[in-house]
Amino acid sequence: MKSTDNNFIHDTAFVGDEVTMGQNNYIGPFCYLTGRLDIGSNNRFEAYCSVGTRAEHKTYWDEDGPTEIVDDNMFREHITINAGTEGLTSIASNVIMLRGSHVAHDCVIEEGVTLSCNAIMLGHVHVMKYSNCGTGCEVHQYQVVGSYSMIGMGCIVPKKSRLEPGQ
């Protein structure tokens, strides 16, 4: 076990050279924190978290974009957060990501959001403050989830579509 600046980093965790972090963070077993990742203070990463990895977008396979995580967040087992491509992937404060949830490149997750087990946010999704994304929900890229929203478990938020008059 390693401890630096009051951060606990498990012996099996990998923290890349470019990663910066505040104080009082817990980095659990087999976590992989990499890239241009900036982590605030008082965050907890349980086992097998993968954060700051390159975007799952073929145009950006070889680029390390930026990722920012603010303070007081809980990241449970097997979550993934990809780095930005055209901009920043951002996780605000007091966010909870439960087991298996995923935040893709260029997403903005505002304060107090809960992403339940296996909730998937695709690229460029903006989840506004205090929203709750239910277990297994999937949000298509470029969508906005409004403040204080509740997306039920298993729901799909598809790409926007427009109906023409008379349809």
Side-chain angles (χ1 to χ4, degrees):
M1 320 298 177
K2 297 179 266 184
S3 182
T4 59
D5 293 328
N6 293 324
N7 291 307
F8 172 85
I9 302 172
H10 192 274
D11 286 340
T12 60
F14 172 83
V15 178
D17 292 337
E18 292 186 76
V19 175
T20 62
M21 68 176 81
Q23 297 185 0
N24 302 317
N25 292 293
Y26 172 88
I27 314 301
F30 302 102
C31 286
Y32 183 70
L33 308 179
T34 189
R36 293 169 34 209
L37 172 60
D38 184 20
I39 300 171
S41 297
N42 304 312
N43 294 290
R44 185 170 181 92
F45 297 86
E46 296 293 346
Y48 298 98
C49 295
S50 180
V51 181
T53 54
R54 292 176 176 168
E56 294 177 336
H57 188 302
K58 63 184 177 182
T59 304
Y60 300 95
W61 284 143
D62 298 323
E63 296 182 27
D64 288 325
T67 308
E68 174 188 64
I69 294 173
V70 187
D71 303 323
D72 303 311
N73 297 300
M74 171 63 74
F75 301 101
R76 295 304 307 251
E77 300 80 7
H78 300 281
I79 64 95
T80 53
I81 302 171
N82 293 152
T85 58
E86 300 164 1
L88 174 70
T89 298
S90 175
I91 310 289
S93 295
N94 300 304
V95 170
I96 299 170
M97 288 182 67
L98 297 180
R99 188 225 358 105
S101 56
H102 173 69
V103 172
H105 61 88
D106 302 284
C107 285
V108 174
I109 309 298
E110 290 187 5
E111 180 178 356
V113 167
T114 298
L115 300 180
S116 295
C117 296
N118 299 324
I120 307 297
M121 305 299 114
L122 297 177
H124 302 274
V125 166
H126 186 154
V127 182
M128 298 174 76
K129 64 184 179 178
Y130 299 102
S131 294
N132 187 327
C133 298
T135 298
C137 75
E138 299 176 16
V139 180
H140 194 279
Q141 64 253 28
Y142 294 100
Q143 299 309 298
V144 175
V145 176
S147 296
Y148 302 95
S149 294
M150 173 66 185
I151 298 176
M153 71 180 194
C155 287
I156 306 295
V157 178
K159 185 176 180 179
K160 293 178 186 173
S161 60
R162 190 179 107 195
L163 292 176
E164 296 298 327
Q167 290 183 323

